[in-house]
Amino acid sequence: MFRKCLKMTGILLLAALFTTVAWSSVQAEEPQITIDFWVGGGNRHIPGYDTPNHGDWERLLAREFEKLHPNVKINVEIISFSDIEQKVNVAVAGQNPPDILYDNIPNRVMRHARNGELEPLDAVVSADRDDWKEDFLAMGTHNGVLYGLPLSSTPTMMFVNKTILERKGVAHLLPEDRHWTWEEWEEVMAAVSDGRIYGTAFHALNEQADQLMVCHLVGAGSAWLSDDLTEFVINSPEGVEALEFMVSLIEKGYVAPGPASMAPGDALELFQQGRVATLQYVPAVYERVAAAIEAGAADPTIQLYGMLPPTKEGVAPRLTVTGEEGYALFKQDDPYKKEICLEFIEFLASPEHVRLLNQATVKIPARYSATYEIEDPEISTMMGKLAEYPVLDIGKSLEKYADTRQLFYPEMQAAFLGLKTPQEALDSFVSKANELIQK
């Protein structure tokens, strides 16, 4: 009996040894893979994680994935949003693009999809497609195929520095319903503007964050595009009236100087320094201002009060959105590397990762299961308000959308500088943009 047990033990040990050797051989046979992952901007301040710098989140996730796949090395490169588009275009022209890209899906990524430079991502969402919001997936779809996977979006809103209004004695003009008419907004700007502090700031240096200016232009009720997205119509009487209103605010001294040469980041900096009382921007300002105050880079007395975009009396707000960042995979020659890249994207876009990212940036998640709680009552109230209003389609699905943006800001510059009347500026934009999209 003892010999039989001893014999059986030996057999089991040999079997275990062969299994270990076989598994080691399988591991050894897995090829070493290097993935180049380019990230536009990069994310930080993720709840529960030590991520103080832009890109810390992406680097952390890359290291976690490498632990799951010891044969995989991920090179994470963080590139500013202002530089990444050009860098990617140069890399594509040189036939050396990154493997995975994190950038704005409708504005930038989809151009590469239309040029046939991306791999389909349908396999990433196929197992739980019902958890993905279809309007988000539509942003990254071309000819029925998913090429870009957006994780979030962020609506336009207005921020008020309540402290300035209190010091000027007009804090009582803050409405409980979080919405000003143009006349009410102008009354506040007139009260706070004194040559050092201004009512608001506009920007038209380039196309960056141009949806914020578009949101101003539809404030009298004009459409931006026709319902079928075949022609721009912002030169309507209502559109012209809105631009005339913006120009009048500049002429009255209520707008920070130099709007024609101001970048959106410059406008935000003025707001953070307590030089501007109101500013149209995105919900992430809540986090940015808090971080800037903590770092000693902003006026510590700022009190944020969120508002809907102001409109002409009788016109309901409509929201423009941006921040539709997500992932894309450039064409792969190696089937195994392609499989690993798709698995990495699926890992990056897990419900928990999408939830944490949106919570940190105060955005709307692309997955139903990524809903998050907002503890701050101010932010919770404002995000609830924004959810009640419709989103304006500004044509991001148009093939020539990126090119039309290059036509818009020069006309805004001309109007702001008085080189063209609002009617002339919008007529010029509409004529050029329609010629472009109707070719």
Side-chain angles (χ1 to χ4, degrees), residues 46 68 74 191 231 427:
I46 303 300
L68 298 173
I74 301 172
E231 62 176 331
D427 282 346

Side-chain angles (χ1 to χ4, degrees), residues 177 179-184 218-222 238 241 309-318 389:
D177 68 354
H179 179 240
W180 276 323
T181 64
W182 281 350
E183 291 75 15
E184 292 167 337
V218 299
S222 176
E238 294 83 4
E241 182 182 5
T311 60
K312 181 181 177 181
E313 186 172 1
V315 176
R318 288 167 296 161
Y389 288 86

Side-chain angles (χ1 to χ4, degrees), residues 106 160 212 397:
V160 179
L212 303 176
S397 62

